[in-house]
Short mmCIF file of all heavy atoms in Angstrom, two decimals:
data_model
loop_
_atom_site.label_atom_id
_atom_site.label_comp_id
_atom_site.label_asym_id
_atom_site.label_seq_id
_atom_site.Cartn_x
_atom_site.Cartn_y
_atom_site.Cartn_z
N MET A 1 119.34 124.14 57.08
CA MET A 1 119.19 122.81 57.65
C MET A 1 117.91 122.77 58.48
O MET A 1 117.62 123.68 59.25
CB MET A 1 120.40 122.50 58.52
CG MET A 1 120.39 121.10 59.09
SD MET A 1 121.84 120.81 60.13
CE MET A 1 121.17 119.61 61.25
N LEU A 2 117.18 121.73 58.31
CA LEU A 2 115.92 121.56 59.03
C LEU A 2 116.14 120.71 60.27
O LEU A 2 116.70 119.61 60.17
CB LEU A 2 114.89 120.88 58.11
CG LEU A 2 113.53 120.58 58.73
CD1 LEU A 2 112.78 121.88 59.04
CD2 LEU A 2 112.71 119.72 57.80
N VAL A 3 115.76 121.24 61.41
CA VAL A 3 115.88 120.49 62.65
C VAL A 3 114.48 120.28 63.21
O VAL A 3 113.73 121.24 63.37
CB VAL A 3 116.74 121.24 63.69
CG1 VAL A 3 116.79 120.46 65.00
CG2 VAL A 3 118.14 121.47 63.15
N ILE A 4 114.14 119.05 63.42
CA ILE A 4 112.83 118.72 63.98
C ILE A 4 112.99 118.45 65.46
O ILE A 4 113.77 117.57 65.86
CB ILE A 4 112.21 117.49 63.28
CG1 ILE A 4 112.08 117.77 61.78
CG2 ILE A 4 110.86 117.14 63.88
CD1 ILE A 4 111.69 116.56 60.97
N PHE A 5 112.33 119.25 66.28
CA PHE A 5 112.41 119.01 67.72
C PHE A 5 111.02 119.13 68.34
O PHE A 5 110.09 119.66 67.71
CB PHE A 5 113.39 119.97 68.40
CG PHE A 5 113.00 121.42 68.31
CD1 PHE A 5 112.25 122.00 69.30
CD2 PHE A 5 113.40 122.18 67.23
CE1 PHE A 5 111.89 123.34 69.22
CE2 PHE A 5 113.05 123.51 67.14
CZ PHE A 5 112.29 124.10 68.12
N GLY A 6 110.89 118.63 69.52
CA GLY A 6 109.59 118.68 70.20
C GLY A 6 109.65 117.94 71.51
O GLY A 6 110.73 117.73 72.06
N PHE A 7 108.49 117.55 71.98
CA PHE A 7 108.41 116.82 73.24
C PHE A 7 107.84 115.44 72.98
O PHE A 7 106.96 115.28 72.14
CB PHE A 7 107.53 117.58 74.24
CG PHE A 7 108.12 118.89 74.65
CD1 PHE A 7 107.72 120.06 74.03
CD2 PHE A 7 109.09 118.95 75.63
CE1 PHE A 7 108.28 121.27 74.39
CE2 PHE A 7 109.66 120.16 75.99
CZ PHE A 7 109.25 121.33 75.37
N LYS A 8 108.38 114.49 73.67
CA LYS A 8 107.90 113.11 73.51
C LYS A 8 107.36 112.62 74.84
O LYS A 8 108.04 112.71 75.87
CB LYS A 8 109.05 112.22 73.05
CG LYS A 8 108.63 110.79 72.76
CD LYS A 8 109.78 110.04 72.13
CE LYS A 8 109.48 108.57 71.96
NZ LYS A 8 108.37 108.30 71.07
N ASN A 9 106.13 112.15 74.82
CA ASN A 9 105.52 111.56 76.01
C ASN A 9 105.44 110.06 75.81
O ASN A 9 105.04 109.61 74.74
CB ASN A 9 104.11 112.11 76.23
CG ASN A 9 104.11 113.58 76.56
OD1 ASN A 9 104.81 114.00 77.47
ND2 ASN A 9 103.36 114.36 75.83
N SER A 10 105.85 109.33 76.80
CA SER A 10 105.70 107.89 76.71
C SER A 10 105.10 107.39 78.01
O SER A 10 105.31 107.96 79.08
CB SER A 10 107.04 107.22 76.45
OG SER A 10 107.93 107.49 77.50
N SER A 11 104.33 106.34 77.90
CA SER A 11 103.63 105.79 79.05
C SER A 11 103.93 104.30 79.13
O SER A 11 103.95 103.61 78.11
CB SER A 11 102.13 106.03 78.87
OG SER A 11 101.41 105.34 79.85
N ARG A 12 104.19 103.84 80.34
CA ARG A 12 104.49 102.42 80.52
C ARG A 12 103.61 101.87 81.63
O ARG A 12 103.57 102.44 82.73
CB ARG A 12 105.96 102.24 80.87
CG ARG A 12 106.35 100.80 80.95
CD ARG A 12 107.85 100.61 80.93
NE ARG A 12 108.11 99.24 81.33
CZ ARG A 12 108.91 98.89 82.32
NH1 ARG A 12 109.57 99.80 82.97
NH2 ARG A 12 109.08 97.64 82.65
N ASN A 13 102.93 100.78 81.34
CA ASN A 13 102.06 100.14 82.33
C ASN A 13 102.93 99.35 83.30
O ASN A 13 103.69 98.47 82.90
CB ASN A 13 101.07 99.22 81.60
CG ASN A 13 100.09 98.58 82.55
OD1 ASN A 13 100.08 98.88 83.73
ND2 ASN A 13 99.28 97.71 82.02
N LEU A 14 102.83 99.69 84.59
CA LEU A 14 103.65 99.00 85.60
C LEU A 14 102.94 97.80 86.20
O LEU A 14 103.58 96.96 86.82
CB LEU A 14 104.02 99.99 86.72
CG LEU A 14 104.84 101.21 86.29
CD1 LEU A 14 105.12 102.09 87.48
CD2 LEU A 14 106.13 100.80 85.62
N GLY A 15 101.62 97.74 86.06
CA GLY A 15 100.91 96.58 86.56
C GLY A 15 99.55 96.92 87.12
O GLY A 15 99.15 98.08 87.17
N LEU A 16 98.84 95.89 87.56
CA LEU A 16 97.52 96.03 88.16
C LEU A 16 97.61 95.61 89.61
O LEU A 16 98.31 94.67 89.96
CB LEU A 16 96.52 95.10 87.47
CG LEU A 16 95.86 95.54 86.16
CD1 LEU A 16 95.07 94.37 85.61
CD2 LEU A 16 94.96 96.72 86.37
N ALA A 17 96.91 96.34 90.48
CA ALA A 17 96.87 95.95 91.89
C ALA A 17 95.55 96.41 92.49
O ALA A 17 94.96 97.40 92.05
CB ALA A 17 98.04 96.55 92.64
N GLN A 18 95.08 95.69 93.50
CA GLN A 18 93.86 96.05 94.20
C GLN A 18 94.14 97.23 95.14
O GLN A 18 95.09 97.21 95.92
CB GLN A 18 93.35 94.87 95.04
CG GLN A 18 92.85 93.69 94.23
CD GLN A 18 91.47 93.94 93.63
OE1 GLN A 18 90.65 94.63 94.21
NE2 GLN A 18 91.24 93.36 92.46
N ALA A 19 93.32 98.27 95.04
CA ALA A 19 93.44 99.40 95.95
C ALA A 19 92.11 100.15 95.97
O ALA A 19 91.30 100.00 95.06
CB ALA A 19 94.56 100.33 95.51
N ALA A 20 91.91 100.95 97.02
CA ALA A 20 90.69 101.75 97.11
C ALA A 20 90.80 102.93 96.15
O ALA A 20 91.79 103.65 96.15
CB ALA A 20 90.50 102.24 98.54
N CYS A 21 89.76 103.11 95.35
CA CYS A 21 89.75 104.22 94.39
C CYS A 21 89.36 105.51 95.10
O CYS A 21 88.35 105.54 95.81
CB CYS A 21 88.76 103.90 93.27
SG CYS A 21 88.47 105.27 92.15
N PRO A 22 90.14 106.60 94.95
CA PRO A 22 89.78 107.86 95.60
C PRO A 22 88.57 108.52 94.94
O PRO A 22 87.97 109.43 95.52
CB PRO A 22 91.03 108.72 95.45
CG PRO A 22 91.74 108.16 94.27
CD PRO A 22 91.40 106.69 94.22
N HIS A 23 88.19 108.06 93.77
CA HIS A 23 87.09 108.70 93.03
C HIS A 23 85.75 108.04 93.36
O HIS A 23 84.82 108.71 93.78
CB HIS A 23 87.38 108.63 91.53
CG HIS A 23 86.45 109.47 90.71
ND1 HIS A 23 86.53 110.83 90.67
CD2 HIS A 23 85.41 109.12 89.92
CE1 HIS A 23 85.57 111.30 89.88
NE2 HIS A 23 84.89 110.28 89.41
N CYS A 24 85.66 106.72 93.18
CA CYS A 24 84.38 106.04 93.38
C CYS A 24 84.32 105.31 94.72
O CYS A 24 83.24 104.87 95.12
CB CYS A 24 84.09 105.07 92.23
SG CYS A 24 85.22 103.66 92.14
N GLY A 25 85.47 105.17 95.41
CA GLY A 25 85.47 104.55 96.72
C GLY A 25 85.47 103.04 96.71
O GLY A 25 85.58 102.42 97.76
N ASN A 26 85.33 102.42 95.54
CA ASN A 26 85.35 100.97 95.46
C ASN A 26 86.77 100.46 95.62
O ASN A 26 87.72 101.11 95.22
CB ASN A 26 84.81 100.50 94.11
CG ASN A 26 83.31 100.68 93.99
OD1 ASN A 26 82.59 100.46 94.96
ND2 ASN A 26 82.85 101.09 92.83
N ARG A 27 86.89 99.28 96.19
CA ARG A 27 88.19 98.62 96.20
C ARG A 27 88.25 97.78 94.92
O ARG A 27 87.59 96.76 94.82
CB ARG A 27 88.35 97.76 97.45
CG ARG A 27 89.76 97.24 97.61
CD ARG A 27 90.01 96.68 99.00
NE ARG A 27 91.34 96.08 99.03
CZ ARG A 27 92.46 96.77 99.21
NH1 ARG A 27 92.41 98.07 99.41
NH2 ARG A 27 93.62 96.17 99.20
N ALA A 28 89.00 98.28 93.95
CA ALA A 28 89.02 97.64 92.64
C ALA A 28 90.44 97.64 92.12
O ALA A 28 91.33 98.26 92.68
CB ALA A 28 88.10 98.41 91.68
N ALA A 29 90.65 96.92 91.04
CA ALA A 29 91.98 96.85 90.43
C ALA A 29 92.34 98.23 89.86
O ALA A 29 91.54 98.86 89.17
CB ALA A 29 92.00 95.80 89.33
N GLN A 30 93.52 98.70 90.19
CA GLN A 30 94.01 99.98 89.69
C GLN A 30 95.17 99.69 88.74
O GLN A 30 96.09 98.95 89.08
CB GLN A 30 94.52 100.85 90.84
CG GLN A 30 93.54 101.03 91.98
CD GLN A 30 92.40 101.97 91.63
OE1 GLN A 30 92.62 103.00 91.00
NE2 GLN A 30 91.19 101.61 92.04
N ARG A 31 95.11 100.27 87.55
CA ARG A 31 96.22 100.14 86.60
C ARG A 31 97.20 101.28 86.84
O ARG A 31 96.83 102.45 86.76
CB ARG A 31 95.72 100.18 85.16
CG ARG A 31 96.76 99.68 84.16
CD ARG A 31 96.32 99.91 82.73
NE ARG A 31 96.48 101.31 82.39
CZ ARG A 31 95.63 102.00 81.63
NH1 ARG A 31 94.58 101.43 81.16
NH2 ARG A 31 95.85 103.27 81.37
N VAL A 32 98.44 100.96 87.18
CA VAL A 32 99.44 101.97 87.49
C VAL A 32 100.33 102.17 86.27
O VAL A 32 100.87 101.22 85.72
CB VAL A 32 100.27 101.55 88.72
CG1 VAL A 32 101.33 102.60 89.04
CG2 VAL A 32 99.37 101.34 89.92
N ASP A 33 100.45 103.43 85.84
CA ASP A 33 101.28 103.77 84.68
C ASP A 33 102.34 104.79 85.09
O ASP A 33 102.12 105.62 85.95
CB ASP A 33 100.43 104.42 83.57
CG ASP A 33 99.45 103.44 82.95
OD1 ASP A 33 99.90 102.36 82.53
OD2 ASP A 33 98.26 103.77 82.90
N ARG A 34 103.49 104.68 84.46
CA ARG A 34 104.52 105.72 84.60
C ARG A 34 104.57 106.51 83.29
O ARG A 34 104.71 105.93 82.22
CB ARG A 34 105.89 105.12 84.89
CG ARG A 34 106.95 106.23 85.12
CD ARG A 34 108.27 105.65 85.56
NE ARG A 34 108.81 104.80 84.50
CZ ARG A 34 109.69 103.84 84.72
NH1 ARG A 34 110.13 103.59 85.92
NH2 ARG A 34 110.15 103.13 83.71
N ASN A 35 104.42 107.81 83.39
CA ASN A 35 104.42 108.68 82.22
C ASN A 35 105.71 109.49 82.21
O ASN A 35 106.00 110.21 83.16
CB ASN A 35 103.21 109.62 82.28
CG ASN A 35 101.92 108.85 82.51
OD1 ASN A 35 101.54 108.03 81.70
ND2 ASN A 35 101.28 109.11 83.62
N LYS A 36 106.45 109.36 81.13
CA LYS A 36 107.72 110.09 81.02
C LYS A 36 107.59 111.15 79.95
O LYS A 36 106.91 110.96 78.95
CB LYS A 36 108.84 109.13 80.61
CG LYS A 36 109.38 108.30 81.74
CD LYS A 36 110.48 107.42 81.18
CE LYS A 36 111.39 106.88 82.24
NZ LYS A 36 112.41 106.01 81.64
N ARG A 37 108.28 112.27 80.16
CA ARG A 37 108.27 113.36 79.20
C ARG A 37 109.72 113.73 78.92
O ARG A 37 110.53 113.81 79.84
CB ARG A 37 107.51 114.55 79.80
CG ARG A 37 107.28 115.70 78.85
CD ARG A 37 106.30 116.67 79.50
NE ARG A 37 106.28 117.95 78.83
CZ ARG A 37 105.57 118.21 77.74
NH1 ARG A 37 104.81 117.28 77.23
NH2 ARG A 37 105.60 119.40 77.18
N ALA A 38 110.04 113.94 77.65
CA ALA A 38 111.41 114.27 77.30
C ALA A 38 111.43 115.24 76.12
O ALA A 38 110.53 115.23 75.28
CB ALA A 38 112.19 113.01 76.93
N PHE A 39 112.44 116.10 76.11
CA PHE A 39 112.69 116.96 74.95
C PHE A 39 113.38 116.12 73.89
O PHE A 39 114.35 115.42 74.18
CB PHE A 39 113.56 118.15 75.37
CG PHE A 39 113.87 119.08 74.24
CD1 PHE A 39 112.91 119.98 73.79
CD2 PHE A 39 115.10 119.08 73.63
CE1 PHE A 39 113.16 120.84 72.76
CE2 PHE A 39 115.38 119.94 72.58
CZ PHE A 39 114.40 120.82 72.14
N SER A 40 112.86 116.16 72.66
CA SER A 40 113.42 115.28 71.64
C SER A 40 113.86 116.07 70.41
O SER A 40 113.31 117.13 70.10
CB SER A 40 112.38 114.23 71.22
OG SER A 40 111.27 114.85 70.63
N VAL A 41 114.88 115.57 69.75
CA VAL A 41 115.36 116.12 68.49
C VAL A 41 115.33 114.99 67.47
O VAL A 41 115.87 113.91 67.73
CB VAL A 41 116.78 116.70 68.63
CG1 VAL A 41 117.29 117.20 67.29
CG2 VAL A 41 116.81 117.81 69.67
N PHE A 42 114.68 115.23 66.33
CA PHE A 42 114.48 114.18 65.32
C PHE A 42 113.83 112.95 65.94
O PHE A 42 114.21 111.82 65.67
CB PHE A 42 115.79 113.81 64.62
CG PHE A 42 116.33 114.91 63.74
CD1 PHE A 42 117.50 115.55 64.07
CD2 PHE A 42 115.64 115.31 62.61
CE1 PHE A 42 117.99 116.58 63.27
CE2 PHE A 42 116.11 116.33 61.81
CZ PHE A 42 117.28 116.97 62.14
N PHE A 43 112.85 113.21 66.82
CA PHE A 43 112.04 112.16 67.46
C PHE A 43 112.83 111.26 68.40
O PHE A 43 112.36 110.22 68.83
CB PHE A 43 111.32 111.30 66.39
CG PHE A 43 110.55 112.13 65.41
CD1 PHE A 43 111.02 112.31 64.12
CD2 PHE A 43 109.38 112.78 65.79
CE1 PHE A 43 110.33 113.10 63.20
CE2 PHE A 43 108.69 113.57 64.90
CZ PHE A 43 109.16 113.74 63.60
N ILE A 44 114.06 111.66 68.73
CA ILE A 44 114.86 110.88 69.68
C ILE A 44 114.89 111.64 70.99
O ILE A 44 115.33 112.80 71.02
CB ILE A 44 116.30 110.67 69.15
CG1 ILE A 44 116.26 109.90 67.83
CG2 ILE A 44 117.15 109.94 70.19
CD1 ILE A 44 117.56 109.92 67.08
N PRO A 45 114.43 111.04 72.09
CA PRO A 45 114.44 111.74 73.38
C PRO A 45 115.87 112.08 73.80
O PRO A 45 116.72 111.21 73.86
CB PRO A 45 113.81 110.74 74.35
CG PRO A 45 113.15 109.72 73.49
CD PRO A 45 113.87 109.70 72.18
N ILE A 46 116.14 113.37 74.05
CA ILE A 46 117.49 113.82 74.38
C ILE A 46 117.58 114.19 75.87
O ILE A 46 118.48 113.75 76.57
CB ILE A 46 117.88 115.05 73.52
CG1 ILE A 46 117.77 114.73 72.03
CG2 ILE A 46 119.29 115.54 73.88
CD1 ILE A 46 118.76 113.71 71.52
N ILE A 47 116.64 115.03 76.31
CA ILE A 47 116.70 115.52 77.69
C ILE A 47 115.45 115.06 78.44
O ILE A 47 114.34 115.49 78.13
CB ILE A 47 116.77 117.07 77.71
CG1 ILE A 47 117.95 117.55 76.87
CG2 ILE A 47 116.85 117.59 79.14
CD1 ILE A 47 117.92 119.04 76.60
N PRO A 48 115.60 114.17 79.41
CA PRO A 48 114.43 113.74 80.19
C PRO A 48 113.91 114.89 81.05
O PRO A 48 114.69 115.62 81.66
CB PRO A 48 114.95 112.59 81.05
CG PRO A 48 116.43 112.67 80.99
CD PRO A 48 116.83 113.52 79.84
N LEU A 49 112.61 115.09 81.06
CA LEU A 49 112.00 116.19 81.81
C LEU A 49 111.20 115.66 82.99
O LEU A 49 110.27 116.30 83.45
CB LEU A 49 111.10 117.01 80.89
CG LEU A 49 111.81 117.68 79.71
CD1 LEU A 49 110.81 118.35 78.79
CD2 LEU A 49 112.81 118.69 80.21
N GLY A 50 111.57 114.49 83.46
CA GLY A 50 110.90 113.96 84.64
C GLY A 50 109.78 112.99 84.29
O GLY A 50 109.39 112.85 83.14
N SER A 51 109.29 112.32 85.30
CA SER A 51 108.23 111.36 85.08
C SER A 51 107.16 111.55 86.15
O SER A 51 107.41 112.12 87.20
CB SER A 51 108.77 109.94 85.12
OG SER A 51 109.35 109.66 86.37
N SER A 52 105.97 111.10 85.83
CA SER A 52 104.88 111.15 86.78
C SER A 52 104.18 109.80 86.76
O SER A 52 104.38 109.00 85.86
CB SER A 52 103.90 112.27 86.43
OG SER A 52 103.33 112.02 85.16
N PHE A 53 103.38 109.58 87.78
CA PHE A 53 102.68 108.30 87.89
C PHE A 53 101.18 108.56 87.93
O PHE A 53 100.74 109.60 88.43
CB PHE A 53 103.10 107.57 89.17
CG PHE A 53 104.53 107.13 89.15
CD1 PHE A 53 105.54 108.00 89.54
CD2 PHE A 53 104.88 105.85 88.75
CE1 PHE A 53 106.86 107.61 89.52
CE2 PHE A 53 106.20 105.44 88.72
CZ PHE A 53 107.19 106.33 89.11
N SER A 54 100.42 107.63 87.41
CA SER A 54 98.97 107.75 87.48
C SER A 54 98.36 106.38 87.73
O SER A 54 98.95 105.35 87.38
CB SER A 54 98.40 108.35 86.19
OG SER A 54 98.65 107.48 85.10
N ALA A 55 97.20 106.38 88.38
CA ALA A 55 96.45 105.16 88.63
C ALA A 55 95.10 105.30 87.97
O ALA A 55 94.42 106.31 88.13
CB ALA A 55 96.29 104.92 90.13
N THR A 56 94.71 104.28 87.19
CA THR A 56 93.42 104.29 86.53
C THR A 56 92.56 103.19 87.13
O THR A 56 92.97 102.03 87.17
CB THR A 56 93.58 104.06 85.01
OG1 THR A 56 94.44 105.06 84.49
CG2 THR A 56 92.23 104.14 84.30
N CYS A 57 91.39 103.58 87.61
CA CYS A 57 90.47 102.64 88.24
C CYS A 57 89.78 101.82 87.16
O CYS A 57 89.25 102.38 86.20
CB CYS A 57 89.45 103.43 89.06
SG CYS A 57 88.20 102.42 89.82
N THR A 58 89.76 100.49 87.32
CA THR A 58 89.09 99.66 86.33
C THR A 58 87.58 99.59 86.56
O THR A 58 86.85 99.12 85.71
CB THR A 58 89.66 98.23 86.34
OG1 THR A 58 89.54 97.70 87.66
CG2 THR A 58 91.11 98.22 85.91
N ALA A 59 87.12 100.09 87.75
CA ALA A 59 85.68 100.07 88.02
C ALA A 59 84.99 101.29 87.42
O ALA A 59 83.96 101.18 86.77
CB ALA A 59 85.44 100.01 89.53
N CYS A 60 85.57 102.51 87.64
CA CYS A 60 84.90 103.72 87.15
C CYS A 60 85.67 104.39 86.01
O CYS A 60 85.14 105.28 85.36
CB CYS A 60 84.68 104.71 88.29
SG CYS A 60 86.18 105.46 88.96
N GLY A 61 86.91 103.99 85.78
CA GLY A 61 87.66 104.52 84.65
C GLY A 61 88.35 105.84 84.90
O GLY A 61 88.96 106.40 83.99
N SER A 62 88.26 106.38 86.13
CA SER A 62 88.89 107.67 86.39
C SER A 62 90.39 107.49 86.60
O SER A 62 90.85 106.49 87.14
CB SER A 62 88.25 108.34 87.60
OG SER A 62 88.69 107.71 88.78
N THR A 63 91.16 108.48 86.16
CA THR A 63 92.61 108.47 86.31
C THR A 63 93.01 109.49 87.36
O THR A 63 92.56 110.63 87.33
CB THR A 63 93.28 108.79 84.96
OG1 THR A 63 92.87 107.82 84.01
CG2 THR A 63 94.79 108.75 85.10
N THR A 64 93.86 109.05 88.30
CA THR A 64 94.31 109.91 89.39
C THR A 64 95.82 110.02 89.32
O THR A 64 96.50 109.01 89.15
CB THR A 64 93.90 109.31 90.75
OG1 THR A 64 92.52 108.98 90.71
CG2 THR A 64 94.17 110.27 91.88
N LYS A 65 96.33 111.25 89.43
CA LYS A 65 97.78 111.42 89.50
C LYS A 65 98.26 111.00 90.89
O LYS A 65 97.67 111.39 91.89
CB LYS A 65 98.16 112.89 89.28
CG LYS A 65 98.35 113.24 87.83
CD LYS A 65 98.99 114.61 87.71
CE LYS A 65 99.28 114.95 86.27
NZ LYS A 65 100.54 114.42 85.80
N ILE A 66 99.30 110.19 90.94
CA ILE A 66 99.84 109.73 92.21
C ILE A 66 101.35 109.95 92.22
O ILE A 66 101.95 110.17 91.17
CB ILE A 66 99.51 108.23 92.46
CG1 ILE A 66 100.05 107.37 91.31
CG2 ILE A 66 98.02 108.02 92.64
CD1 ILE A 66 99.92 105.90 91.54
N SER A 67 101.94 109.87 93.41
CA SER A 67 103.38 110.01 93.51
C SER A 67 104.05 108.66 93.28
O SER A 67 103.39 107.62 93.26
CB SER A 67 103.75 110.56 94.89
OG SER A 67 103.46 109.59 95.87
N GLY A 68 105.36 108.68 93.12
CA GLY A 68 106.09 107.44 92.94
C GLY A 68 105.97 106.52 94.14
O GLY A 68 105.88 105.30 94.00
N ASP A 69 105.94 107.13 95.35
CA ASP A 69 105.78 106.33 96.57
C ASP A 69 104.43 105.63 96.59
O ASP A 69 104.32 104.46 96.96
CB ASP A 69 105.91 107.22 97.81
CG ASP A 69 107.35 107.66 98.04
OD1 ASP A 69 108.27 107.02 97.48
OD2 ASP A 69 107.55 108.64 98.78
N GLN A 70 103.37 106.39 96.20
CA GLN A 70 102.03 105.79 96.16
C GLN A 70 101.98 104.66 95.14
O GLN A 70 101.33 103.64 95.38
CB GLN A 70 101.00 106.86 95.81
CG GLN A 70 100.67 107.80 96.95
CD GLN A 70 99.71 108.89 96.51
OE1 GLN A 70 99.99 109.63 95.58
NE2 GLN A 70 98.58 108.99 97.18
N ALA A 71 102.65 104.84 94.00
CA ALA A 71 102.68 103.78 92.98
C ALA A 71 103.31 102.52 93.55
O ALA A 71 102.80 101.41 93.36
CB ALA A 71 103.45 104.26 91.75
N ASP A 72 104.42 102.69 94.29
CA ASP A 72 105.08 101.53 94.91
C ASP A 72 104.15 100.86 95.91
O ASP A 72 104.07 99.63 95.99
CB ASP A 72 106.36 101.97 95.63
CG ASP A 72 107.46 102.31 94.65
OD1 ASP A 72 107.39 101.87 93.49
OD2 ASP A 72 108.40 103.02 95.06
N GLN A 73 103.43 101.69 96.72
CA GLN A 73 102.53 101.14 97.73
C GLN A 73 101.39 100.36 97.09
O GLN A 73 101.03 99.27 97.55
CB GLN A 73 101.96 102.27 98.61
CG GLN A 73 102.96 102.83 99.59
CD GLN A 73 102.43 104.06 100.31
OE1 GLN A 73 101.30 104.47 100.08
NE2 GLN A 73 103.25 104.63 101.16
N ILE A 74 100.79 100.92 96.05
CA ILE A 74 99.68 100.23 95.38
C ILE A 74 100.16 98.91 94.79
O ILE A 74 99.54 97.87 94.97
CB ILE A 74 99.08 101.13 94.26
CG1 ILE A 74 98.34 102.31 94.89
CG2 ILE A 74 98.13 100.33 93.37
CD1 ILE A 74 97.86 103.34 93.89
N LEU A 75 101.32 98.93 94.12
CA LEU A 75 101.80 97.72 93.47
C LEU A 75 102.24 96.66 94.47
O LEU A 75 102.21 95.48 94.19
CB LEU A 75 102.95 98.07 92.52
CG LEU A 75 102.51 98.88 91.29
CD1 LEU A 75 103.70 99.35 90.51
CD2 LEU A 75 101.59 98.06 90.40
N SER A 76 102.66 97.10 95.69
CA SER A 76 103.06 96.12 96.70
C SER A 76 101.86 95.68 97.53
O SER A 76 102.00 94.86 98.44
CB SER A 76 104.15 96.70 97.60
OG SER A 76 103.63 97.76 98.36
N GLY A 77 100.68 96.25 97.25
CA GLY A 77 99.46 95.84 97.95
C GLY A 77 99.28 96.46 99.31
O GLY A 77 98.42 96.04 100.07
N ALA A 78 100.05 97.51 99.64
CA ALA A 78 99.98 98.11 100.97
C ALA A 78 99.11 99.36 101.00
O ALA A 78 99.12 100.10 101.96
CB ALA A 78 101.39 98.47 101.46
N TYR A 79 98.38 99.61 99.92
CA TYR A 79 97.60 100.84 99.86
C TYR A 79 96.14 100.58 100.19
O TYR A 79 95.58 99.63 99.72
CB TYR A 79 97.71 101.44 98.45
CG TYR A 79 97.36 102.90 98.38
CD1 TYR A 79 98.17 103.84 99.00
CD2 TYR A 79 96.24 103.32 97.70
CE1 TYR A 79 97.87 105.19 98.94
CE2 TYR A 79 95.93 104.68 97.63
CZ TYR A 79 96.75 105.59 98.25
OH TYR A 79 96.45 106.92 98.18
ZN1 ZN B 1 86.95 104.21 90.77
#
């Protein structure tokens, strides 16, 4: 019997918000994404392996890993 297993990464855009970029220093729109990773069997995610958050600066294009709290702060405009 053939079993296909592997890891599945999925990314979801949570929104855009104005925040200071740690890379270029500009206050520009940051795209906040949640990245999820899961162990999958037959391409179906079975075991979630946690999620991480990232912010991508629309001015310079750099992506920064952020915590879930920072993602909430950026999206609520308090960052
Ligand atoms: Zn930037």
Side-chain angles (χ1 to χ4, degrees):
M1 184 181 151
L2 177 68
V3 178
I4 301 171
F5 63 92
F7 295 97
K8 184 172 174 63
N9 294 307
S10 61
S11 171
R12 185 165 167 235
N13 183 5
L14 299 180
L16 277 173
Q18 292 284 328
C21 171
H23 190 74
C24 67
N26 288 321
R27 189 166 175 82
Q30 308 286 319
R31 195 188 76 218
V32 179
D33 292 307
R34 183 174 63 203
N35 308 298
K36 281 180 161 179
R37 187 170 165 83
F39 180 77
S40 64
V41 177
F42 291 113
F43 308 106
I44 299 167
I46 303 293
I47 304 168
L49 299 174
S51 61
S52 62
F53 293 85
S54 64
T56 304
C57 177
T58 55
C60 69
S62 74
T63 301
T64 310
K65 272 192 176 275
I66 57 173
S67 68
D69 287 342
Q70 285 176 302
D72 287 340
Q73 286 172 1
I74 290 173
L75 291 172
S76 67
Y79 199 68

